[in-house]
Amino acid sequence: MPSDDPKTGPNNDFGMPKNVFGFLPIELSGAAVAAGLPRFRAEQVRGWLYDKLVNDLAKMSNLGAYDRIAFSQQFDFVPGELVREQHSTDGTFKTLIQWKRPTWPEPALTECVVIPDGDRYTACLSSQVGCPVGCKFCASGLLGLKGNLEAGEIVYQLFLLNQMLAPKSARITNIVFMGMGEPMANYANVMKAIRIIHDPQCFDMGARRITVSTVGVPAKIRDMAGEELSLNLALSLHAPNEPLRRELIPWASHFALQDILDACRYYFDQTGREITLEYILLHDVNDRPEHARELANVCRTIRANVNLIRYNEVESLPFLRPKSDSVQEFQSILRDAGVNVHVRKSRGRDIDAACGQLRRKAQQELIQLGKA
């Protein structure tokens, strides 16, 4: 498993400005004072970033010329570039961000997705560039893992999405770490980002509006139970038994399913937060009635609800979207067994809906141009 403590965080000095979005309020105030600036200047900058969604120093009207120069020398306010957008007819939109951190191999691209539902706007954030898990049905890991996102790069995704929603007088209301990457393989940065997002002086998002989705790293699940945050935990299960799960998710061979479920039970005992089991239905692979009955048996051992997700096809991969009658039968078997189960509404089908597709397409275009 890759290290979750990359040497590129805000406390490391490469002679470059540090990502301003990677600092908790107390840290940003301390860094400003260390740079010879008054503490209240950091508070003013936070107001522009998180309240007004302004990251252009030239527009921060209550900062003097000297303060702007000093902040620009110490902090990077634009750590990534929005290089592509896709908008669906159902209101879903997907973005592609290219990160400009000097230590990244080029090009470092990640996706974000926003799913609107009335006044609710859910953002699907990435935690890594690429993915180490290698799910056989997913586009995210096809090009391998390039590295971990810093906490500030994770927070910046949310900042950009909020900027995009600002013309509608809307903001992201919920986030899920269900984009590119395995959050538990970048645990330190993900938790730091969550604390910044959760902080009342930053985005002030309630912990119960934040979901961390994982294929299962027992030790990190137990660590998260001790964070004293009421975060939602989602387990990407995708198979009701160990052999099929390891076939679909090669990385699952690192951790026994029973150990993962034990850790999830521990998480519920410590936090009182019911676990969500995410299950992508693949035609004639894991969507048969016998799979549903096996999954029902798993659910009897844990306080959980089940989200069934219809597969979005990925070009060059052999998996197919399940048939509607198979989905209905699968759901009915679970409901008859007393399982709280829902079929997630398919969104963004007219754009690159599957995770990693937009990034993969852009990466292939760059390869053809000789830029990657």
Side-chain angles (χ1 to χ4, degrees):
M1 190 169 67
S3 169
D4 65 358
D5 187 24
K7 300 183 185 303
T8 49
N11 294 322
N12 293 285
D13 187 3
F14 286 90
M16 300 289 293
K18 300 172 180 65
N19 185 344
V20 72
F21 294 94
F23 290 82
L24 287 159
I26 191 171
E27 295 173 337
L28 185 61
S29 295
V33 170
L37 294 160
R39 184 177 297 273
F40 73 90
R41 292 298 187 202
E43 296 170 5
Q44 291 174 322
V45 166
R46 280 199 306 275
W48 285 103
L49 293 176
Y50 297 107
D51 295 335
K52 299 182 178 69
L53 300 176
V54 171
N55 62 331
D56 182 349
L57 279 164
K59 295 180 179 179
M60 297 184 185
S61 55
N62 55 356
L63 270 65
Y66 170 83
D67 299 318
R68 294 175 193 172
I69 292 171
F71 270 105
S72 69
Q73 291 174 340
Q74 295 294 322
F75 303 105
D76 184 359
F77 287 76
V78 189
E81 178 187 1
L82 180 62
V83 294
R84 193 167 298 186
E85 300 176 40
Q86 288 183 329
H87 292 262
S88 170
T89 54
D90 66 17
T92 300
F93 65 89
K94 177 177 279 195
T95 65
L96 191 69
I97 300 171
Q98 181 163 358
W99 302 103
K100 66 181 188 181
R101 191 186 343 150
T103 52
W104 278 122
E106 292 293 336
L109 301 166
T110 58
E111 295 179 357
C112 307
V113 179
V114 173
I115 304 170
D117 186 6
D119 293 333
R120 178 186 176 115
Y121 289 85
T122 299
C124 187
L125 303 184
S126 294
S127 56
Q128 296 179 299
V129 177
C131 185
V133 176
C135 294
K136 296 295 187 180
F137 49 82
C138 182
S140 288
L142 288 175
L143 297 173
L145 175 69
K146 289 198 173 185
N148 291 329
L149 288 176
E150 294 177 3
E153 289 164 332
I154 295 170
V155 175
Y156 188 65
Q157 294 174 72
L158 181 57
F159 176 84
L160 276 180
L161 297 177
N162 277 330
Q163 273 193 329
M164 295 175 72
L165 289 174
K168 299 181 179 182
S169 298
R171 286 206 180 204
I172 298 298
T173 60
N174 300 73
I175 63 172
V176 291
F177 286 90
M178 207 175 287
M180 290 171 49
E182 165 52 56
M184 296 297 185
N186 188 18
Y187 183 84
N189 281 318
V190 168
M191 286 300 127
K192 175 75 176 289
I194 287 173
R195 292 195 179 279
I196 295 169
I197 291 167
H198 177 58
D199 195 286
Q201 297 181 62
C202 297
F203 282 120
D204 194 21
M205 182 175 288
R208 295 193 178 195
R209 293 181 176 270
I210 300 172
T211 298
V212 178
S213 177
T214 176
V215 297
V217 182
K220 297 302 181 183
I221 292 173
R222 291 174 182 273
D223 286 346
M224 198 169 86
E227 294 285 350
E228 298 184 353
L229 291 167
S230 297
L231 301 171
N232 300 306
L233 174 65
L235 175 64
S236 296
L237 189 61
H238 309 321
N241 59 65
E242 191 85 86
L244 180 57
R245 191 165 192 266
R246 292 190 178 191
E247 180 182 334
L248 294 174
I249 310 171
W251 210 61
S253 62
H254 292 296
F255 310 104
L257 180 56
Q258 283 306 314
D259 290 342
I260 295 170
L261 293 174
D262 283 345
C264 289
R265 283 187 281 268
Y266 176 81
Y267 189 84
F268 171 77
D269 290 341
Q270 296 299 307
T271 66
R273 303 298 291 160
E274 192 172 78
I275 312 303
T276 296
L277 301 180
E278 303 281 357
Y279 195 101
I280 291 179
L281 290 164
L282 307 164
H283 174 61
D284 210 26
V285 174
N286 66 350
D287 66 341
R288 300 172 189 166
E290 58 265 33
H291 296 132
R293 288 189 284 269
E294 283 187 90
L295 180 57
N297 289 333
V298 171
C299 292
R300 290 189 182 100
T301 71
I302 187 171
R303 281 289 299 272
N305 62 82
V306 175
N307 271 350
L308 300 178
I309 306 162
R310 299 181 183 93
Y311 180 61
N312 287 316
E313 302 90 342
V314 176
E315 185 180 353
S316 81
L317 295 184
F319 300 97
L320 300 175
R321 190 172 174 85
K323 297 179 179 178
S324 295
D325 56 352
S326 297
V327 175
Q328 292 172 2
E329 183 179 11
F330 201 99
Q331 182 184 35
S332 294
I333 291 171
L334 290 173
R335 282 186 170 169
D336 289 346
V339 177
N340 181 18
V341 55
H342 302 277
V343 178
R344 187 186 297 169
K345 186 187 301 182
S346 294
R347 304 294 298 268
R349 289 277 293 162
D350 55 332
I351 58 176
D352 293 304
C355 182
Q357 279 188 308
L358 178 58
R359 177 211 180 216
R360 185 183 180 215
K361 182 184 293 184
Q363 195 104 9
Q364 288 172 335
E365 291 171 1
L366 289 168
I367 289 171
Q368 291 172 357
L369 293 171
K371 295 182 179 181

